């Protein structure tokens, strides 16, 4: 019932089918575990609650992937300069 709209919502953040599926799985599991804490506040409040969970999980995944990407970049090996190499360039005048 809510799956399609939540899929499109997560996909707008993630732009990746597999990541979107992961986020929806996490979100539905979290909603199921926290259903006792949900307080109905009128028509549409359950959908808003689910939307909030999906948005938060999408952002959490993006932040996690961003940190991983930064860590991968920072661990790139930069070759050391040997004594035979120097940065001077000879110019013919």
């Amino acid at each position: 019932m809510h799956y399609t709209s939540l899929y499109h919502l997560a996909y707008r953040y993630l732009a990746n089918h597999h990541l979107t599926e992961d986020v929806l799985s996490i979100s539905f599991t979290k909603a199921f575990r926290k259903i006792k804490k949900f307080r109905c506040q009128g028509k549409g409040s359950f959908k808003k609650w689910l939307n909030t969970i999906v948005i938060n999980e999408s952002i959490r995944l993006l932040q996690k992937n961003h940190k991983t990407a930064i860590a991968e970049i920072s661990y790139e090996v930069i070759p050391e300069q040997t004594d035979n190499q120097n940065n001077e360039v000879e110019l013919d005048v």
Side-chain angles (χ1 to χ4, degrees):
M1 178 163 65
H2 295 288
Y3 182 85
T4 303
S5 64
L6 293 173
Y7 177 90
H8 291 295
L9 177 63
Y11 192 84
R12 278 184 251 147
Y13 281 88
L14 303 169
N16 179 293
H17 169 72
H18 298 292
L19 294 178
T20 300
E21 291 286 332
D22 291 345
V23 162
L24 289 181
S25 177
I26 292 166
S27 298
F28 281 119
T29 302
K30 186 171 273 190
F32 180 77
R33 288 183 181 159
K34 303 283 184 177
I35 194 74
K36 290 180 183 178
K37 293 184 178 184
F38 171 72
R39 300 287 177 243
C40 184
Q41 298 176 352
K43 187 177 180 179
S45 64
F46 184 71
K47 183 174 181 177
K48 290 177 187 176
W49 183 65
L50 286 176
N51 285 351
T52 301
I53 293 171
V54 169
I55 290 169
N56 288 341
E57 290 303 318
S58 297
I59 292 170
R60 186 172 289 120
L61 182 67
L62 289 171
Q63 289 172 338
K64 178 183 170 188
N65 286 347
H66 180 71
K67 287 178 184 176
T68 302
I70 290 173
E72 288 173 1
I73 291 170
S74 65
Y75 287 116
E76 285 184 12
V77 177
I78 300 172
E80 291 185 23
Q81 201 173 36
T82 62
D83 291 337
N84 295 339
Q85 294 176 329
N86 69 41
N87 292 333
E88 296 176 14
V89 176
E90 291 184 26
L91 297 174
D92 292 331
V93 188

